[in-house]
Amino acid sequence: MTPTSAEERAVLQSVIYASLFDYPLTLAQLGDSLVAVAADYATIAAWWRNSRLLQATVGHRDGLYFPAGRDDLVETRARREALSRDLLHRDRRLLELVARMPFVRLVALSGSLAHLNAERAADIDLFVITSPGRVWLVTVGVLVMAKVLGWRKRLCLNYVISERRLAIAPADLFTANQIIHLQPLAGYSTYRRFIDANPFVSHWYPNFRFRDQGSSVGERGSGVIERVLSLGIAQAAERVCRAVYRRHLRRRAASWQ
């Protein structure tokens, strides 16, 4: 099957964008990251085989696609994947603690570790969804816990939202790209609802599908604690954490450039 120019352009865009991070793509990753082009994986593989343009510009080795002449990325991916797994194993306890915290509904990796494409100094970038009215309490709680346990320098809460408002704005290509590359660690039912609440993702990435892979860290078990805290302590703590962290962010913002 010979691809159209639009299909060739979509393949090239995905391969070149991933190469900016020295990351070659599997066929499934290539398919999921095609912008505004829908096709099954077998069809995409046929495009590459039957296109002179793609044969000249996209290399293929060991099941991975990369810009022609960048075979070195295959070894780079293998090295970084092994390192990333070591880092996740090292910090498994931290991830389990975050997943088990009261009012946490989803914990997902973002950033380089979500792709298993990290170098040694990589942070643990997390996307977290909380129960309604507990965003600030969870945010401050996670940061304080990380500080006390000596993990603060390598833990980064990239995004924290409430399950009351799962829709993300703006509904653009960048936001959709961030969403499709999340790797949930715990809270798959919440993750499914999050994907359903952001249907714009399928506009940009029509091949992307929710895949329930099961949790890889301990599931939360804090129902009793949540009920006790919700008798009044949690509501007060949420207001205090919001005020404290707002002042902290304002002080930090004064030095941002």
Side-chain angles (χ1 to χ4, degrees), residues 39-217:
D40 59 47
Y41 299 153
T43 298
I44 296 169
W47 291 348
W48 179 79
R49 290 193 303 270
N50 298 323
S51 167
R52 291 183 178 179
L53 174 62
L54 295 181
Q55 285 286 305
T57 56
V58 177
H60 181 251
R61 179 184 140 199
D62 298 341
L64 299 173
Y65 295 86
F66 46 84
R70 292 300 313 275
D71 298 61
D72 60 295
L73 295 184
V74 175
E75 284 71 32
T76 297
R77 172 165 172 153
R79 177 180 59 80
R80 288 182 177 177
E81 183 169 328
L83 175 59
S84 297
R85 294 189 186 281
D86 287 343
L87 292 174
L88 290 174
H89 179 74
R90 179 198 68 182
D91 293 320
R92 182 178 179 85
R93 181 59 177 162
L94 168 60
L95 297 173
E96 288 178 345
L97 287 173
V98 174
R100 291 176 181 273
M101 286 185 65
F103 309 115
V104 170
R105 297 294 181 262
L106 167 73
V107 178
L109 288 172
S110 60
S112 60
L113 276 173
H115 297 81
L116 297 180
N117 191 42
E119 292 289 5
R120 177 65 63 183
D123 293 330
I124 303 174
D125 297 316
L126 296 182
F127 178 97
V128 175
I129 296 178
T130 76
S131 59
R134 300 293 182 264
V135 166
W136 296 99
L137 177 58
V138 168
T139 299
V140 173
V142 170
L143 296 178
V144 169
M145 179 193 70
K147 180 75 171 180
V148 169
L149 296 178
W151 289 321
R152 183 64 188 95
K153 289 185 177 180
R154 63 178 187 262
L155 176 68
C156 180
L157 290 180
N158 273 2
Y159 218 104
V160 185
I161 63 173
S162 164
E163 61 180 345
R164 179 180 291 156
R165 295 186 177 181
L166 295 176
I168 300 293
D172 58 12
L173 176 61
F174 176 81
T175 304
N177 184 272
Q178 298 300 300
I179 290 175
I180 70 168
H181 289 121
L182 291 175
Q183 292 296 323
L185 299 175
Y188 273 81
S189 61
T190 301
Y191 176 66
R192 180 185 290 276
R193 290 191 291 113
F194 172 67
I195 295 299
D196 291 342
N198 291 280
F200 74 92
V201 172
S202 62
H203 166 74
W204 295 107
Y205 295 104
N207 290 330
F208 174 74
R209 296 291 182 273
F210 170 85
R211 296 179 179 87
D212 190 343
Q213 302 170 353
S215 297
S216 61
V217 300

